[in-house]
Amino acid sequence: MIDTLAGRLDEAAVSRTAVAQFGADAGLDVATAYAVQEALVARRLDRGETVVGLKLGLTSRAKMAQMGVDEVIWGRLTDAMHVPDGGTVSLSERIHPKVEPEVAFLVEGGAIVAVAPAIELIDSRYLDFRFTLPEVIADNTSASGFVVGPWRPVPDGVDNLGVLLEVDGRVAQVGSTAAILGDPRRALPEAARLAGELRDGWVLLAGAATAAVPLTPGAHVRVTVEHIGTASLRASA
Ligand code: OOG
Ligand code: MG
């Protein structure tokens, strides 16, 4: 079953066609869902991609409420998901992408050594962007892309910084880093606990501080985290 479900999700991503939720009949539990995720990401690795980091999801109430799921989840980031800061994201390569403001950490020797503003692109492989907890875990927690702004040393106190998501110069979401686990630095022990592994040089996305917004053709998206900086992307027309 693990390989069948991984194959279905991989095919959905590659063909940019959403699939139906697996439903209760599939009997997917959280442990099996993570095994599906591993098999799904293994297909990417077989195509030459490498894992470059981890992401946490549903670390804020805003995201839990938006998605109707209330447990912290984690997924894998690969090099192919990386979008350069200011780069263009292809909409035709995705199903129904959304963007959300994130804080990224650089991990070295089991510790956080730098911080950056980030944008996560999420793109559920399920119809209507709807799923249960095991379903979204199996789908690599909707991971599709990420932009990391300039790295800088971690300033004192990153636990209550303003977060702004702008689309075409208009404010789309505002929040605070306090929304991320009470303090985004908690992402490190949380990721270590959940994933059991954090390699040197990996990027860790701590989770969105606000709800996500749909990415529309030609949109210019900018995320600003107070005292940390700015990251941006543009969607293809
Ligand atoms: C699941 C991924 C959630 C976050 O930052 O909370 C996530 C989803 O919303 O589709 O990445
Ligand atoms: Mg996210």
Side-chain angles (χ1 to χ4, degrees):
M1 173 181 89
I2 289 169
D3 245 29
T4 309
L5 298 185
R8 245 192 259 172
L9 290 168
D10 191 50
E11 174 62 22
V14 171
S15 67
R16 291 129 210 172
T17 312
V19 291
Q21 286 179 255
F22 301 142
D25 292 350
L28 196 62
D29 61 22
V30 166
T32 312
Y34 277 113
V36 174
Q37 180 191 125
E38 196 176 352
L40 173 66
V41 175
R43 287 169 185 251
R44 285 176 167 268
L45 305 189
D46 287 345
R47 292 195 287 267
E49 297 180 31
T50 49
V51 175
V52 295
L54 301 181
K55 57 163 286 188
L56 292 184
L58 310 179
T59 49
S60 68
R61 297 225 162 270
K63 283 290 302 183
M64 288 181 180
Q66 183 181 33
M67 306 323 294
V69 175
D70 64 355
E71 242 178 270
V72 174
I73 55 179
W74 69 278
R76 293 151 163 110
L77 302 173
T78 73
D79 57 345
M81 297 177 192
H82 179 252
V83 177
D85 189 16
T88 299
V89 164
S90 166
L91 283 183
S92 62
E93 285 173 14
R94 294 177 166 85
I95 303 168
H96 37 207
K98 296 183 191 178
V99 284
E100 51 188 27
E102 299 250 357
V103 172
F105 292 118
L106 185 60
V107 180
E108 206 80 59
I112 290 168
V113 294
V115 63
I119 304 173
E120 187 182 10
L121 269 153
I122 52 172
D123 190 25
S124 177
R125 269 55 68 164
Y126 300 107
L127 285 170
D128 303 325
F129 228 111
R130 289 172 59 84
F131 41 70
T132 60
L133 174 72
E135 285 167 343
V136 69
I137 290 169
D139 188 24
N140 196 21
T141 64
S142 307
S144 178
F146 65 101
V147 177
V148 178
W151 292 110
R152 52 153 295 155
V154 186
D156 288 342
V158 293
D159 56 325
N160 192 11
L161 303 176
V163 174
L164 189 63
L165 174 69
E166 288 167 288
V167 179
D168 296 330
R170 290 201 191 90
V171 175
Q173 293 283 339
V174 258
S176 162
T177 56
I180 308 163
L181 300 169
D183 182 333
R185 284 170 297 195
R186 292 216 177 105
L188 184 77
E190 196 67 6
R193 181 179 72 82
L194 292 167
E197 179 189 37
L198 275 170
R199 296 204 189 153
D200 284 353
W202 273 9
V203 172
L204 172 60
L205 292 183
T210 72
V213 304
L215 186 61
T216 50
H220 181 251
V221 177
R222 193 161 74 142
V223 164
T224 305
V225 182
E226 188 186 3
H227 302 319
I228 306 289
T230 288
S232 70
L233 66 79
R234 190 173 286 283
S236 60

